[in-house]
Amino acid sequence: MDRRFRALVVAHGVSAYGTYLNLIALSLFSYEITGTALGVGVVMAVRLLAGVTAGLAAGALTTRVGRRTVMVATDLAQTLAMVVLALGASGTTLWVLLGAGAVLGAGNTFFNVALRSAVPVMVGQENRARANGVLVTARSVATVLGFASAAPVIALGGFGVAFGVNAASFAVSAAAVLALRPRTDSDGVSEPTGDRAEPPPVRGGRLRRRVAGLAGPLLGMIALRGLDALASASHNVALPLAAHEAEPSSPAVFMTWFWSAWAVGTMLAHQILKRRSHGASWGERAFAVGTCAMSFCFVAAFTGPPAPVLMAAAVAAGFADGWTEIVYTSRLQATPDRQRGRLFGLSATAEQSGFALGTVTAAAALEALPALAVVGAFHGAAVCGALVLLLLTVRRHDARHGTDRSSTSGDKGESAHGTSTGAGHLPGS
């Protein structure tokens, strides 16, 4: 990884900081404008729905106009949306607020799909895991700083300053992409990967065309990623309640410490995985096991443990979270370039849909059930999904090896049926 990519990561970290600061600022601002919790939910729903819809079109858009163009355009669009909110401040109408939320939701999805699918082009396939680790580390630091600084920024300067900071962060990201001009699109030469070549498009319905050529295990990983997003929504919704119970006088401090410990864990995951850029680290089994570990750690954090145990659980959850993020992203990036944008578009749709559904259902469940029960049920569903993927992966592995043994047992390497199947193999599975 050269200095150009690292500079781009720093700029992306600045943008992510503004995004996480804005998550709190926009929620509070929405309540001030609408005056009801329903209004806040509507703004959040519009933002998430825009992200889900953008995921369906992101792959085709990045292929048509180029990833770098998409990254710059979405950053500038989000900059403009936040400038409008910053200048309007308390005079902002509901329709302007909804429009800004839609731009933020769609822009974030388009940018992330373009960036994640461009990483192997920017740094090479052999360096993609380390690059993903650097991106995850930058995002983790930005998460903590954004959440921690939201309250003092709003208190000192109001919502206008908070939105102005977010607009500036998007402008920094756009300027970095324009100035650095990273190579984000392949030149049409096929990339060497462990996957089989993509089969020709399948005629038929829109959904069939979208999933044509995607291997079953990859679709299984994407489905589990959506289920994991649903489970993650539960602990994001329940954590403020747990913070008020644990530290009634300073819940914000509790949450800052929790997410700081989580960020330390994600950094540790990067330090370990960057030394294992090849082999079984990057398969479906590693992703499934990491998802199980992450769910168990988050559930443990809601059992009311002593402070040292709670921080240890948060670090472990962050480690598992960073592990699964790097493994998952690296695995999808191993696919051919022409297929990659479609995969990350489907992934973004699955993640946004899962998080939206999880947010609504978890919030409703918390009205009647304790936080531990809700978080345990949601993460239990993620564990069940991970175990299903793990079982299918193991069965597929055994079936492939059984076929390999059969194909080498007969004369001239033929099986009992006189043919060799040449079953496809996914790296790390």
Side-chain angles (χ1 to χ4, degrees):
M1 293 179 290
D2 56 14
R3 293 181 179 178
R4 179 182 302 181
F5 178 77
R6 293 187 180 276
L8 186 66
V9 170
V10 172
H12 178 57
V14 172
S15 174
Y17 161 76
T19 297
Y20 287 110
L21 183 153
N22 184 55
L23 283 177
I24 295 178
L26 190 63
S27 296
L28 297 174
F29 184 68
S30 299
Y31 186 78
E32 182 175 290
I33 295 298
T34 63
T36 64
L38 177 61
V40 177
V42 169
V43 175
M44 180 180 293
V46 168
R47 183 171 183 169
L48 291 173
L49 182 60
V52 171
T53 306
L56 297 174
L61 182 64
T62 54
T63 299
R64 181 179 295 274
V65 305
R67 293 171 181 137
R68 185 168 62 222
T69 301
V70 170
M71 292 164 68
V72 173
T74 53
D75 269 337
L76 292 178
Q78 293 178 94
T79 300
L80 179 61
M82 297 315 300
V83 167
V84 170
L85 289 184
L87 295 178
S90 59
T92 301
T93 65
L94 177 60
W95 291 110
V96 172
L97 182 60
L98 292 175
V103 171
L104 292 173
N108 182 66
T109 296
F110 281 130
F111 185 94
N112 283 328
V113 169
L115 176 62
R116 294 163 81 183
S117 59
V119 164
V121 182
M122 288 191 282
V123 303
Q125 282 285 355
E126 67 280 1
N127 291 321
R128 70 184 191 278
R130 294 187 64 186
N132 291 327
V134 173
L135 285 169
V136 168
T137 299
R139 186 199 65 184
S140 301
V141 174
T143 301
V144 176
L145 294 179
F147 285 161
S149 63
V153 168
I154 295 172
L156 293 175
F159 292 112
V161 171
F163 294 146
V165 170
N166 192 201
S169 71
F170 287 129
V172 167
S173 177
V177 177
L178 285 172
L180 297 171
R181 298 188 61 80
R183 179 173 174 265
T184 58
D185 299 282
S186 66
D187 53 10
V189 179
S190 60
E191 300 177 54
T193 69
D195 297 317
R196 290 176 291 178
E198 179 185 10
V202 176
R203 297 184 180 275
R206 181 179 299 178
L207 181 60
R208 290 180 62 195
R209 289 197 298 272
R210 288 192 184 281
V211 301
L214 303 184
L218 288 178
L219 293 179
M221 291 182 73
I222 292 174
L224 178 57
R225 187 70 171 177
L227 191 58
D228 173 57
L230 183 143
S232 296
S234 69
H235 65 248
N236 277 278
V237 173
L239 189 60
L241 303 180
H244 278 282
E245 291 182 1
E247 295 290 342
S249 60
S250 54
V253 173
F254 176 92
M255 293 186 65
T256 299
W257 277 107
F258 183 91
W259 288 120
S260 297
W262 170 87
V264 170
T266 61
M267 296 176 196
L268 292 176
H270 166 53
Q271 294 301 316
I272 292 177
L273 283 178
K274 74 178 183 180
R275 295 175 173 82
R276 302 188 62 189
S277 58
H278 302 286
S281 319
W282 312 126
E284 295 84 13
R285 281 182 288 181
F287 175 60
V289 171
T291 300
C292 289
M294 179 173 56
S295 291
F296 286 131
C297 291
F298 272 118
V299 172
F302 283 84
T303 59
V309 177
L310 175 64
M311 292 299 104
V315 171
F319 181 89
D321 205 353
W323 173 286
T324 54
E325 172 73 16
I326 297 170
V327 168
Y328 175 79
T329 305
S330 300
R331 180 63 192 88
L332 265 59
Q333 288 169 347
T335 56
D337 185 75
R338 63 185 180 277
Q339 195 178 18
R340 203 177 299 139
R342 182 171 38 171
L343 276 169
F344 279 109
L346 284 174
S347 177
T349 298
E351 292 174 49
Q352 294 281 354
S353 300
F355 193 82
L357 179 61
T359 299
V360 174
T361 54
L366 285 168
E367 292 294 326
L369 298 172
L372 177 59
V374 174
V375 174
F378 277 67
H379 277 285
V383 170
C384 290
L387 292 177
V388 170
L389 178 62
L390 188 61
L391 177 61
L392 293 177
T393 303
V394 171
R395 289 181 62 182
R396 177 174 170 272
H397 178 271
D398 292 342
R400 184 179 66 241
H401 280 266
T403 301
D404 292 342
R405 288 192 297 269
S406 176
S407 64
T408 58
S409 61
D411 293 337
K412 298 181 180 181
E414 294 182 344
S415 67
H417 297 285
T419 59
S420 178
T421 62
H425 172 65
L426 294 174
S429 62

